[in-house]
Amino acid sequence: MGDNAISREKRSLPPADYSLKIESFKLLSESTVESFESGVFKSGGYNWKLVFYPNGKKNDGGKDHLSLYLKIDDSNPHSDGTWNVNVYYKLFVYDQLSNQYLVVQDAKAPMRRFDRRKGEWGFGKFLDLATFNEPSNGYLVDESCVFGAEVYVVKPTGSEEILSLVSEPDDGTYRFTIPAFGSVGDTVQRSGEFTVGERNWQLVVYPAGSGADRGNYLTVSLKLADYQKVTPKKPVYAEFKFKIPNQYSRNRAGAEQTVKYFFNSAAEKESSKFLSRDDLYDTTKGYLPSNETLVVEVQFLVVSVIKANT
């Protein structure tokens, strides 16, 4: 593995899974044994070892370097020869002077697959020997050094969902009728809950407007009413039209505004400069006839549906 594929950074937090202290490093490096294996440690339900090359693993570009690897231990029970374990891992060396750890990890492919063919991953150029042996760097103090590992095993849960976008869903138009609208004042009007795309919704009307529209425009909003009730919480994407029809004639245009919104909370999505209050109360426009009954509609054009894939 080339050095350009390695990320190195320091941190104060020690490795979460395993530490290995080596004493009398000089004697170890001068021995005729090329590599040393640590004892077994457990992480993510598997048994692991650290494999240490004090003079570098030459066939992995480790000349003039320390080489350090994570190895899945042979003691793990595997059901057959096709087993594999997917892992994010980090290897460490301790700077004893600054009380910090140098963290070494794959930069380009942080997840590695351990299997029958390749049960060991790591770094031929973990740390160059000149840097390691320099006393002022703190990695080798009084012939002792400390290495470590963190291992995060990625385990499929079997949970899968299918996201579909439904165009013009069934029962996708809802009408909210507010009688005697002229007498409600500033009181916010809320519809009952209704179902579109297997989710519950609610229309909310602000007679005096809301936010930047307050005082000048009628504000209509759509609320995902069951967001707090559904577990786990599932967001919904919707494209919809707010409508206030012309009650004098179906052939005359009413007020419409198309909105696209991703509902990922219980918040409402409001209209913007939808219908001015002057036009609303102008009886010649047909929005609010003499009986003062206001009709507000929402028409769903697209709505997302999430289902578990069983």
Side-chain angles (χ1 to χ4, degrees), residues 5-254:
I6 298 176
S7 167
R8 293 181 175 89
E9 61 182 4
K10 283 196 173 184
R11 79 180 201 194
S12 58
L13 192 68
D17 293 310
Y18 182 69
S19 292
L20 170 67
K21 184 175 182 179
I22 298 175
E23 298 179 337
S24 303
F25 178 81
K26 182 178 180 181
L27 293 177
L28 187 68
S29 64
E30 292 176 349
S31 70
T32 59
V33 179
E34 182 184 12
S35 65
F36 296 84
E37 293 188 356
S38 73
V40 173
F41 65 95
K42 289 184 175 292
S43 182
Y46 292 89
N47 296 330
W48 307 90
K49 289 182 177 181
L50 283 181
V51 183
F52 175 66
Y53 292 75
N55 294 302
K57 187 177 181 180
K58 305 302 188 293
N59 61 1
D60 194 22
K63 182 181 179 181
D64 299 324
H65 285 75
L66 290 174
S67 301
L68 188 63
Y69 298 84
L70 177 68
K71 178 181 179 180
I72 191 164
D73 190 58
D74 294 336
S75 62
N76 288 290
H78 300 297
S79 57
D80 55 45
T82 63
W83 65 270
N84 62 78
V85 181
N86 296 308
V87 170
Y88 291 97
Y89 71 97
K90 298 177 181 179
L91 301 181
F92 297 74
V93 60
Y94 181 43
D95 178 350
Q96 301 172 63
L97 298 182
S98 67
N99 195 28
Q100 288 190 311
Y101 292 83
L102 179 67
V103 186
V104 182
Q105 60 185 321
D106 288 312
K108 294 184 178 179
M111 187 173 75
R112 293 297 189 181
R113 173 170 292 187
F114 291 75
D115 54 28
R116 180 175 55 84
R117 292 181 298 250
K118 187 168 180 62
E120 183 178 298
W121 286 96
F123 310 99
K125 294 182 178 180
F126 178 77
L127 186 65
D128 68 87
L129 286 171
T131 299
F132 177 76
N133 288 318
E134 171 55 49
S136 63
N137 290 327
Y139 299 120
L140 184 62
V141 176
D142 296 330
E143 294 300 320
S144 72
C145 51
V146 180
F147 298 93
E150 285 183 355
V151 183
Y152 175 74
V153 177
V154 180
K155 296 181 178 180
T157 63
S159 176
E160 182 179 350
E161 291 183 327
I162 299 175
L163 171 66
S164 301
L165 294 179
V166 180
S167 178
E168 299 181 357
D170 295 338
D171 300 319
T173 298
Y174 178 80
R175 172 173 284 203
F176 180 27
T177 301
I178 307 173
F181 182 78
S183 64
V184 302
D186 293 352
T187 304
V188 177
Q189 305 295 300
R190 300 180 185 275
S191 75
E193 294 186 12
F194 57 94
T195 302
V196 176
E198 302 181 354
R199 300 299 295 271
N200 292 344
W201 306 86
Q202 185 180 49
L203 273 176
V204 184
V205 177
Y206 297 84
S210 176
D213 288 355
R214 185 170 180 81
N216 298 309
Y217 292 88
L218 176 79
T219 299
V220 180
S221 76
L222 180 66
K223 179 179 181 179
L224 181 59
D226 64 4
Y227 183 79
Q228 298 294 352
K229 303 173 186 177
V230 174
T231 304
K233 293 178 173 59
K234 296 182 179 180
V236 181
Y237 172 77
E239 298 179 16
F240 51 93
K241 280 185 180 180
F242 290 128
K243 295 182 177 182
I244 297 182
N246 186 309
Q247 298 185 58
Y248 289 158
S249 172
R250 292 184 178 180
N251 296 324
R252 295 175 62 182

